[in-house]
Amino acid sequence: MNSNWNRNLDNSNANGRIAQTLWLIIIMKSHNNLYPKIISYNNLFLAYENARKNKTNKNYVIEFERNLNENIKSLRTELLFHSYQLKPLKTFILRDPKTRKISKSDFRDRVIHHALINVIESIFDKTFIYDSCANRKGKGNLFALKRFDEFKRKVSRNGKTNGWFNNNQIKGYCLKADIKHYFQEVNHNILLDILKRKINDKKVIWLINKVLKNLPAVGEGEPEKGMPLGNLTSQFFANVYLNELDYFVKQKLKAKYYIRYVDDFVILHSSKEQLEEWKDKINNFLNNDLRLELHPEKSKIIPLSKGIDFVGFRNFYYFRLLRKRNINNMKSKIKQYKENKIPKVKLFKIYLGWKAYAKWADTLKIREEILKRMNKN
């Protein structure tokens, strides 16, 4: 049983009804006695190994490893007796290229984040729709791009123009939407209620609540909303929270061509009026059920012929362009290297990642230009 079944939920035949019944069984099943699995030695060691990946040279990892067994035992004891306390987050501003406030957890707390997700991720991932693309195994932004390409062909009748507009246009529209201040506005009580549908273990809920409340100081009392950017748990809980929106769009609105990447989503349809109606209903659902709202400036209905800005690319029917800020960011890294602000090895690693990503767009000329700049420096 896997999330591919989401494709069958709209079917009206017998197989579709059977799949939907089985799907309901999956989403209604709750799990208990999870806490012993989370705090087991094996899971904590696995969590430590996951937390240290690509960070083995960091001082905080080296320090933790000096007394590795004792540190793991200490964490387990604290979790066992409910005396575990998270350390304050370290917050910094990242401009790469957008300005974002990133809050970084202490390494021992990141081990606990991994230990928690190791156990509960598979429980919830089974309930996610097929086209929830972010922070999931086998998915990602390139998966989202491929799905967008599939959907645009279906909505536009494979790019046929005769009888629709003119020879320079294709049929179809896209609701391109973004949720305003998403990570800052996630409501803890609503999230916990969603999690409790699947987790019938009070100790696990206690631990999740501890993680949620570990936020930068904002005044007196415990915060009731918000998740820090940068935490593994925040990425996972972001999908759990907006899975409610996914089901509303797919089951209530019956929208076929819907893709979500974190808080950024698109719906494709041949009718602009239908998308306008859905946009209002989605905003009402977000307001009433999740205490969120669509970003008024970033949520628009756009003709497919004008190109849709989605997961880092501007997507047209016959070609795809890389965002200008992505190109400028790569140029900025080269400039930083020239000014001795980053080492050559780091620049080369950044370039390889950028090149692999840029290849998904029509970027031959710009890739050649970037390579010339690299060789020049």
Side-chain angles (χ1 to χ4, degrees):
M1 294 185 286
N2 57 54
S3 57
N4 288 352
W5 289 0
N6 287 278
R7 289 174 164 180
N8 296 325
L9 291 181
D10 292 326
N11 292 349
S12 58
N13 55 29
N15 289 336
R17 289 194 295 272
I18 292 170
Q20 190 165 17
T21 301
L22 292 172
W23 188 255
L24 287 172
I25 292 171
I26 290 174
I27 65 173
M28 291 175 67
K29 182 182 178 182
S30 62
H31 299 257
N32 53 26
N33 205 33
L34 297 173
Y35 199 66
K37 296 178 183 178
I38 292 171
I39 68 171
S40 70
Y41 282 114
N42 287 342
N43 188 50
L44 288 173
F45 270 107
L46 175 61
Y48 145 73
E49 289 175 350
N50 290 337
R52 75 190 284 269
K53 282 181 180 176
N54 301 318
K55 299 177 180 67
T56 53
N57 293 326
K58 298 290 185 179
N59 289 334
Y60 55 79
V61 174
I62 295 170
E63 182 65 27
F64 189 87
E65 290 175 337
R66 282 177 183 159
N67 296 295
L68 179 58
N69 289 333
E70 289 303 315
N71 284 326
I72 295 293
K73 286 179 182 179
S74 177
L75 278 175
R76 187 174 187 278
T77 300
E78 291 175 29
L79 291 167
L80 197 59
F81 291 99
H82 284 204
S83 61
Y84 170 62
Q85 298 293 331
L86 290 90
K87 295 189 176 183
L89 300 172
K90 292 182 180 179
T91 300
F92 57 94
I93 302 299
L94 181 67
R95 295 178 176 87
D96 194 20
K98 290 195 301 183
T99 299
R100 294 177 294 167
K101 186 167 80 171
I102 306 295
S103 295
K104 192 175 181 181
S105 295
D106 188 84
F107 182 71
R108 74 193 302 269
D109 295 328
R110 277 182 261 167
V111 171
I112 299 304
H113 295 170
H114 278 276
L116 177 63
I117 300 305
N118 283 350
V119 173
I120 69 172
E121 182 178 31
S122 62
I123 294 170
F124 287 91
D125 193 75
K126 294 174 185 176
T127 71
F128 294 162
I129 68 165
Y130 186 76
D131 292 309
S132 169
C133 302
N135 306 310
R136 296 179 65 195
K137 295 173 183 175
K139 300 296 173 77
N141 51 10
L142 298 182
F143 175 88
L145 283 177
K146 290 178 181 178
R147 292 294 282 168
F148 184 90
D149 285 346
E150 289 179 36
F151 291 168
K152 77 184 181 187
R153 286 194 291 270
K154 291 179 179 179
V155 168
S156 67
R157 301 195 315 164
N158 291 322
K160 293 179 181 177
T161 57
N162 293 337
W164 293 112
F165 295 92
N166 58 53
N167 290 333
N168 295 316
Q169 292 181 302
I170 59 168
K171 181 176 174 62
Y173 298 87
C174 176
L175 168 58
K176 168 69 174 65
D178 185 284
I179 296 173
K180 186 177 179 181
H181 300 152
Y182 176 52
F183 280 86
Q184 299 172 33
E185 296 297 327
V186 169
N187 184 281
H188 293 178
N189 292 329
I190 294 174
L191 175 58
L192 287 170
D193 285 342
I194 295 169
L195 292 165
K196 286 175 185 177
R197 295 178 204 161
K198 301 293 295 174
I199 299 176
N200 187 25
D201 188 324
K202 292 181 180 179
K203 293 179 180 179
V204 177
I205 297 299
W206 167 81
L207 179 58
I208 291 172
N209 193 49
K210 296 281 286 185
V211 172
L212 287 175
K213 300 304 180 187
N214 190 35
L215 287 168
V218 291
E220 294 183 3
E222 288 188 336
E224 294 184 356
K225 65 180 183 179
M227 298 189 300
L229 281 172
N231 276 0
L232 173 69
T233 48
S234 298
Q235 297 169 17
F236 174 72
F237 292 145
N239 271 343
V240 172
Y241 202 76
L242 284 185
N243 194 41
E244 303 295 300
L245 170 65
D246 298 342
Y247 272 78
F248 175 75
V249 172
K250 298 294 289 183
Q251 297 300 303
K252 300 294 183 182
L253 301 184
K254 304 293 184 183
K256 288 185 178 180
Y257 306 126
Y258 166 78
I259 310 166
R260 181 175 61 79
Y261 191 91
V262 194
D263 60 332
D264 192 9
F265 67 88
V266 293
I267 307 177
L268 283 68
H269 201 278
S270 59
S271 168
K272 182 179 181 181
E273 291 73 22
Q274 178 66 84
L275 290 176
E276 287 173 344
E277 179 185 329
W278 282 349
K279 181 184 176 184
D280 289 339
K281 289 183 176 180
I282 287 170
N283 208 27
N284 287 336
F285 172 80
L286 290 171
N287 289 164
N288 297 330
D289 289 58
L290 299 178
R291 299 183 191 175
L292 300 170
E293 63 175 311
L294 293 177
H295 197 295
E297 297 172 5
K298 297 180 181 179
S299 302
K300 300 177 181 179
I301 296 167
I302 306 165
L304 289 176
S305 58
K306 289 189 175 181
I308 309 301
D309 196 354
F310 186 51
V311 291
F313 298 91
R314 193 167 179 202
N315 300 274
F316 294 85
Y317 189 85
Y318 293 106
F319 61 94
R320 184 183 296 133
L321 300 178
L322 196 61
R323 280 179 180 167
K324 286 185 179 180
R325 74 183 186 195
N326 189 295
I327 298 169
N328 291 336
N329 188 40
M330 187 62 230
K331 291 178 180 178
S332 174
K333 296 299 181 185
I334 297 172
K335 184 180 178 182
Q336 288 177 38
Y337 166 71
K338 187 177 180 181
E339 295 171 351
N340 296 317
K341 292 180 180 179
I342 59 174
K344 183 177 181 180
V345 173
K346 184 175 181 180
L347 176 66
F348 189 66
K349 189 175 182 180
I350 291 170
Y351 166 72
L352 290 178
W354 178 86
K355 179 183 174 184
Y357 186 72
K359 278 185 175 180
W360 285 84
D362 296 81
T363 56
L364 180 59
K365 288 185 179 180
I366 190 63
R367 280 185 279 134
E368 289 176 347
E369 179 190 335
I370 292 293
L371 185 59
K372 286 179 181 178
R373 290 188 180 217
M374 294 274 291
N375 290 333
K376 184 178 179 180
N377 287 289

